[in-house]
Amino acid sequence: MTYELYYWPMIPGRGEFVRLALEEAGADYIDVARRDGIAPMMKLLGDEKSARPSFAPPFLKAGRLMIGQTANILLFLGERHGLAPKDTPGRFWIHQLQLTLADVVAEAHDMHHPIGVGSYYEDQKPESKRRAAEFRRERIPKFLNYFERVLGKNRYFAGQKLTYADLSMFQVIEGLRYALPHRMKQLEKKYPKLMALSQRVKQRPRIAAYLASSRRISFNEDGIFRHYPELDS
Ligand SMILES: N[C@@H](CCC(=O)N[C@@H](CS)C(=O)NCC(=O)O)C(=O)O
């Protein structure tokens, strides 16, 4: 089956967590908006006849199924493609980690949009500076301490076998490195296990091939992880 991924075509954003899972699975998929523009995606978002419309991208079409919310899509793909544990505690544990990573993503976004998603960064710069200072000082270490602790001596979060949460952890670390290179340089040595995990993910054959391909979209200042030097002081 060919999956259809619907996400904004110019940014890695939340769609990237889904792309990484599809790539690692070797799944056949179309990144619809990158191929056809955003019109089909907007049409589905506004489709009055759809019984289960998504509120926002990303969403995935899998045959007759339409699934929205990043963590929900990954729960689905993880089960289908062996990217999640099969036992119930394991499945919910990995889903829990994914939701916690989604919290990091939301806070990374709020660093440059602390007042409102509908306003430009340029119109909320003083507030962004305050928000970013707290994110750098308190929140990143709190999140990374947690992930380092729960990874423990494991190769991957669920043990020996890679799951979608490991792929997402890699993407979050890459995003933080892009957005806050100065701060991450200070912090990285405190998280050797997470850094090793990230490296392991990066070197997986399918991921390495994907990262080197034109399918991988670079981080940029329209996305979630943005580099504004003034927020990384
Ligand atoms: N919780 C959702 C968030 C989805 C989301 O915020 N999507 C963004 C792009 S990353 C969007 O297009 N939002 C439009 C809006 O909120 O109006 C998820 O994890 O998928």
Side-chain angles (χ1 to χ4, degrees):
M1 183 220 297
T2 302
Y3 293 111
E4 288 176 18
L5 168 65
Y6 290 85
Y7 193 66
W8 303 109
M10 308 310 285
I11 60 170
R14 290 180 172 89
E16 195 63 13
F17 298 102
V18 181
R19 292 192 188 101
L20 284 167
L22 290 165
E23 293 283 344
E24 174 61 27
D28 199 9
Y29 74 99
I30 300 165
D31 204 336
V32 179
R34 293 199 77 196
R35 191 188 68 176
D36 302 335
I38 64 168
M41 178 171 95
M42 301 317 280
K43 192 164 174 232
L44 284 171
L45 282 170
D47 186 0
E48 300 280 336
K49 287 193 245 68
S50 168
R52 298 184 178 110
S54 281
F55 172 73
F59 54 94
L60 186 80
K61 186 168 183 297
R64 295 175 62 182
L65 268 179
M66 279 284 226
I67 306 167
Q69 288 284 353
T70 311
N72 203 30
I73 300 170
L74 291 171
L75 188 67
F76 168 78
L77 289 175
E79 200 164 297
R80 278 199 151 191
H81 294 280
L83 289 173
K86 288 200 177 7
D87 62 297
T88 302
R91 277 176 55 231
F92 282 106
W93 171 235
I94 293 306
H95 183 53
Q96 179 179 327
L97 291 178
Q98 186 63 43
L99 290 168
T100 310
L101 286 164
D103 292 341
V104 184
V105 171
E107 290 195 25
H109 169 272
D110 290 352
M111 224 190 351
H112 50 78
H113 277 78
I115 299 298
V117 287
S119 318
Y120 291 111
Y121 165 64
E122 285 67 25
D123 297 330
Q124 39 193 315
K125 275 179 131 177
E127 295 87 355
S128 295
K129 268 202 134 171
R130 285 184 65 188
R131 183 70 188 251
E134 196 211 64
F135 185 62
R136 284 195 314 266
R137 195 177 54 237
E138 315 285 343
R139 301 299 287 170
I140 302 182
K142 187 168 181 181
F143 278 119
L144 294 186
N145 282 341
Y146 170 75
F147 288 117
E148 178 90 354
R149 174 161 67 86
V150 301
L151 178 59
K153 293 197 173 64
N154 287 343
R155 190 170 166 73
Y156 293 117
F157 281 124
Q160 284 303 305
K161 214 165 165 281
L162 174 114
T163 67
Y164 60 79
D166 302 298
L167 300 172
S168 298
M169 187 76 242
F170 157 76
Q171 179 63 9
V172 164
I173 289 172
E174 289 293 294
L176 291 173
R177 278 178 170 153
Y178 174 81
L180 303 168
H182 176 71
R183 181 60 173 143
M184 285 304 282
K185 214 169 166 64
Q186 297 171 332
L187 284 175
E188 282 184 17
K189 47 188 172 297
K190 296 188 180 156
Y191 307 105
K193 294 172 189 147
L194 286 182
M195 296 308 138
L197 166 79
S198 176
Q199 197 57 22
R200 231 169 263 140
V201 167
K202 201 174 187 167
Q203 287 169 353
R204 291 183 71 87
R206 283 176 176 160
I207 296 298
Y210 167 63
L211 297 178
S213 77
S214 58
R215 299 191 299 287
R216 170 78 168 178
I217 304 170
S218 303
F219 291 107
N220 59 61
E221 281 54 63
D222 290 320
I224 292 171
F225 292 101
R226 301 185 187 187
H227 178 59
Y228 294 123
E230 63 274 21
L231 299 186
D232 187 27
S233 57

